Amino acid sequence: MAEDDIYTKDGTVDYRGNPANKKETGTWRACPFILGNECCERLAYYGMSTNLVLYFKNRLNQHSATASKNVSNWSGTCYITPLIGAFLADSYLGRYWTIAVFSIIYAIGMTLLTLSASVPGMKPTCHGAEECHATTLDSAICFLALYLIALGTGGIKPCVSSYGADQFDDTDPVEKEHKSSFFNWFYFSINIGALIASSLLVWIQDNVGWGWGFGIPAVTMAIAVVSFFSGTRLYRNQKAGGSALTRICQVVTASIRKHRVEVPSDKSLLYEINEGESVIKGSRKLDHTNELRCLDKAAVIGESDKVGASANPWRLCTVTQVEELKSILRLLPVWATGIIFSTVYGQMSTLFVLQGQTMNTHVGNSGFKIPPASLSIFDTLSVIFWVPVYDRIIVPVARKLTGHQNGLTQLQRMGVGLFISIFSMVAAAILELIRLKMVRRHNYYELEEIPMTIFWQVPQYFVIGCAEVFYFIGQLEFFYEQAPDAMRSFCSALSLLTVAFGQYLSSLLVTIVTKISTKNGSPGWIPDNLNFGHIDYFYWLLALLSLLNLIAFLIVSMFYTYKRPLGTLR
């Protein structure tokens, strides 16, 4: 290597110190290690979590409501901890070290969980297949392992997609085009892991044992760690930019202090350092935008303000610092429209399963019964089908029609996903109308499974999978592209929060609907016996909310201002 190469602490080369090294690092040559890490991590996560409620109920001897609540609490934590991982990655550790450290924590948690399900003295004592007793210590070890996993996944979730995208240079047209393709294959790798987990590993847990059922995901997580470290010399790393929270507080404080100051019409009079790189380490400068001009007051140079190295950042901020906060605030309306989509997406694990339980789950004349929850495999298969179709067929065709490098802009792609998601609720509602009509015609009210095959649910799962490919992948790319350079992990964590809020909104809607629809002794829309209910009404409600959400998204998109970076990353 040349003398002017810049080595990071982990031994990787930052090619920006010597452009000749650009050919030796990053791009698709580095991505297989990152995609391998993600595929194995998702296989481990879904393989361990898909059937977790049954482990709590059957092995830890918890009541159904308690088991469900514990799974919900743990799952919610898995979508909160990414904020911790993102803060550390953006501010101090960088994405490489954050992924590395938290992957190891994750692997330790998986190992401990396996031991808690297989080692005498740590695992619950069982007499036969169903009668089990877990001591307080058994449960404590299990939950310690689970929350180590939640912490571990919090450091990986917000960083891996951004780190993969970091391997492509925005200033290189060819690499920028490949970066858009990376997000498609990143989501593809997630679903390959989920497919194996929801089929093979669930079967092993039900038929072989929990020791093997947790042990295989633990081994897979170890492979994920090895995969990530194997690509170390090929990675391109972005510098950590320091505390984003501090910078945001500085802008808010400075603008409040100068609330009486007039913002000059000439943007060149606002404060910015003269150096090529911005005051935020490893970040490009951002061009001034005219929205949220009240925040520009933080960049107005007052008579008592010192500039340059002696500037007080709590009184005077650069234009780039101000625009960094503006970028986050502009993302929030787009972010909010993702909550309804996540609510629709969440029905696969709730109402779709309940609906499937009322239908014929037998395959032909055999005694084999399909677990209703396992139909989510058709969502996974849909994603695996649509990702290559989108990347290899839709993008080239759209590119010719629109002239846009990626075929569709990220906002257009997300809008298509929101539009398609409406039809998943319409399909589910129509199926329920037909099912209830059969119940009324033949008086099947007390029948556990009516003679209507569960495979009629496949279209609604397949449509959601198609919507995912447009919305979730578009969202991943959009939040990466529009995030400030030093806050990309945070924005990825922010996009993950829509899933958590979507689940919360779904619970709130069910609570409200149940309270209103059960007045005057009515069984309501969602009773224990769905043959007396009307979950089709709930599906229609979600379809209506999705339509209104799409309209809101289109309005937000029309007024969205894209960030304008100046120069290149150093």
Side-chain angles (χ1 to χ4, degrees):
M1 297 290 180
E3 291 182 1
D4 57 342
D5 290 345
I6 296 178
Y7 287 87
T8 59
K9 289 186 292 183
D10 48 58
T12 59
V13 178
D14 185 339
Y15 78 88
R16 298 176 186 88
N18 179 1
N21 292 327
K22 178 178 176 180
K23 296 180 180 180
E24 302 174 15
T25 59
T27 66
W28 283 113
R29 66 174 61 85
C31 287
F33 302 99
I34 297 171
L35 294 177
N37 172 271
E38 179 66 9
C39 182
C40 291
E41 187 274 326
R42 289 291 85 187
L43 194 158
Y45 178 84
Y46 289 119
M48 172 271 302
S49 63
T50 300
N51 231 9
L52 193 58
V53 69
L54 292 183
Y55 183 77
F56 286 169
K57 183 178 178 181
N58 298 335
R59 290 295 184 268
L60 298 188
N61 198 27
Q62 296 181 351
H63 295 295
S64 296
T66 303
S68 178
K69 182 185 71 173
N70 284 334
V71 171
S72 296
N73 290 340
W74 176 78
S75 298
T77 303
C78 289
Y79 284 97
I80 297 298
T81 52
L83 293 174
I84 300 172
F87 176 77
L88 291 174
D90 287 338
S91 302
Y92 304 110
L93 297 180
R95 281 186 270 279
Y96 176 90
W97 277 110
T98 302
I99 296 170
V101 170
F102 282 84
S103 290
I104 293 171
I105 294 173
Y106 198 138
I108 293 172
M110 288 297 309
T111 302
L112 185 59
L113 182 65
T114 303
L115 294 175
S116 74
S118 55
V119 175
M122 297 176 69
K123 70 175 184 177
T125 303
C126 294
H127 303 284
E130 299 297 330
E131 188 180 346
C132 294
H133 174 72
T135 65
T136 302
L137 179 61
D138 296 337
S139 297
I141 294 172
C142 176
F143 280 97
L144 172 62
L146 286 171
Y147 280 90
L148 279 175
I149 292 169
L151 178 61
T153 194
I156 298 173
K157 276 177 183 285
C159 297
V160 178
S161 61
S162 297
Y163 194 57
D166 286 347
Q167 307 309 310
F168 300 93
D169 185 359
D170 274 340
T171 61
D172 186 319
V174 175
E175 288 195 20
K176 189 173 178 64
E177 182 179 317
H178 288 170
K179 179 168 69 175
S180 180
S181 184
F182 165 79
F183 285 103
N184 293 325
W185 295 106
F186 176 81
Y187 205 75
F188 183 86
S189 69
I190 290 175
N191 282 272
I192 289 293
L195 177 64
I196 298 171
S198 61
S199 53
L200 178 61
L201 289 180
V202 169
W203 183 88
I204 289 173
Q205 289 164 359
D206 288 344
N207 297 277
V208 178
W210 290 98
W212 282 100
F214 289 151
I216 294 173
V219 172
T220 306
M221 190 58 219
I223 295 172
V225 175
V226 172
S227 174
F228 181 74
F229 280 115
S230 297
T232 296
R233 295 293 296 179
L234 297 174
Y235 297 145
R236 297 174 181 174
N237 288 343
Q238 183 180 325
K239 301 174 185 175
S243 175
L245 182 60
T246 300
R247 294 195 301 275
I248 288 172
C249 290
Q250 288 171 343
V251 172
V252 173
T253 301
S255 60
I256 291 174
R257 281 180 167 179
K258 297 180 178 179
H259 67 280
R260 297 182 184 277
V261 173
E262 290 290 328
V263 178
S265 56
D266 184 358
K267 68 178 183 180
S268 65
L269 297 177
L270 297 175
Y271 176 59
E272 183 60 271
I273 62 173
N274 295 323
E275 287 80 2
E277 189 173 341
S278 77
V279 72
I280 306 166
K281 288 188 297 182
S283 293
R284 293 167 291 183
K285 290 181 180 178
L286 294 173
D287 194 12
H288 177 263
T289 58
N290 291 320
E291 291 87 358
L292 301 168
R293 287 182 61 83
C294 59
L295 296 176
D296 290 337
K297 296 176 185 290
V300 175
I301 303 173
E303 293 181 2
S304 61
D305 288 329
K306 297 179 180 179
V307 298
S310 59
N312 180 357
W314 295 94
R315 290 192 58 87
L316 181 64
C317 302
T318 64
V319 169
T320 295
Q321 279 182 272
V322 174
E323 290 301 320
E324 184 181 54
L325 177 54
K326 286 185 183 182
S327 295
I328 298 298
L329 294 176
R330 281 197 295 266
L331 285 174
L332 292 181
V334 179
W335 172 84
T337 59
I339 296 174
I340 294 292
F341 182 88
S342 294
T343 302
V344 169
Y345 176 77
Q347 301 314 306
M348 285 193 297
S349 60
T350 54
L351 288 188
F352 281 15
V353 177
L354 295 177
Q355 185 183 39
Q357 279 183 323
T358 67
M359 303 172 75
N360 182 11
T361 59
H362 290 82
V363 178
N365 295 322
S366 68
F368 181 76
K369 294 183 66 174
I370 302 170
S374 68
L375 254 69
S376 63
I377 197 172
F378 288 100
D379 165 74
T380 305
L381 290 172
S382 177
V383 171
I384 292 172
F385 170 79
W386 281 108
V387 164
V389 169
Y390 183 87
D391 195 66
R392 300 302 180 190
I393 299 176
I394 295 177
V395 168
V397 172
R399 188 180 292 139
K400 292 179 181 178
L401 295 175
T402 65
H404 191 273
Q405 187 178 25
N406 297 334
L408 299 175
T409 67
Q410 293 120 15
L411 287 175
Q412 288 170 342
R413 183 174 185 173
M414 292 165 68
V416 171
L418 292 177
F419 177 72
I420 293 173
S421 70
I422 297 172
F423 293 97
S424 66
M425 291 297 97
V426 171
I430 291 174
L431 175 62
E432 185 64 10
L433 278 173
I434 296 171
R435 195 190 70 80
L436 288 177
K437 188 175 180 180
M438 181 181 289
V439 168
R440 288 191 294 267
R441 182 187 302 141
H442 300 285
N443 196 27
Y444 287 151
Y445 289 100
E446 299 298 336
L447 207 61
E448 286 189 10
E449 292 188 0
I450 68 169
M452 184 178 186
T453 179
I454 193 174
F455 287 110
W456 281 110
Q457 283 193 305
V458 170
Q460 61 208 53
Y461 281 100
F462 198 81
V463 172
I464 282 189
C466 179
E468 276 185 74
V469 169
F470 282 89
Y471 186 81
F472 275 149
I473 301 177
Q475 183 190 50
L476 267 176
E477 186 177 359
F478 176 77
F479 274 77
Y480 177 86
E481 289 290 339
Q482 295 306 307
D485 292 332
M487 293 184 69
R488 281 172 165 167
S489 295
F490 171 78
C491 288
S492 293
L494 193 65
S495 68
L496 290 170
L497 277 180
T498 59
V499 178
F501 280 104
Q503 295 288 352
Y504 298 148
L505 178 59
S506 181
S507 297
L508 178 62
L509 289 174
V510 169
T511 301
I512 294 172
V513 162
T514 300
K515 187 171 184 179
I516 294 175
S517 64
T518 54
K519 288 182 178 179
N520 303 320
S522 171
W525 289 6
I526 315 173
D528 289 335
N529 185 342
L530 294 185
N531 294 333
F532 291 96
H534 270 292
I535 60 170
D536 54 316
Y537 291 173
F538 192 81
Y539 290 142
W540 289 121
L541 173 63
L542 288 179
L544 176 61
L545 290 175
S546 296
L547 177 61
L548 295 175
N549 185 60
L550 174 61
I551 295 171
F553 174 83
L554 293 175
I555 294 172
V556 168
S557 299
M558 287 172 58
F559 292 98
Y560 183 80
T561 302
Y562 287 85
K563 74 167 187 177
R564 298 195 294 266
L566 300 173
T568 60
L569 281 172
R570 292 178 55 83

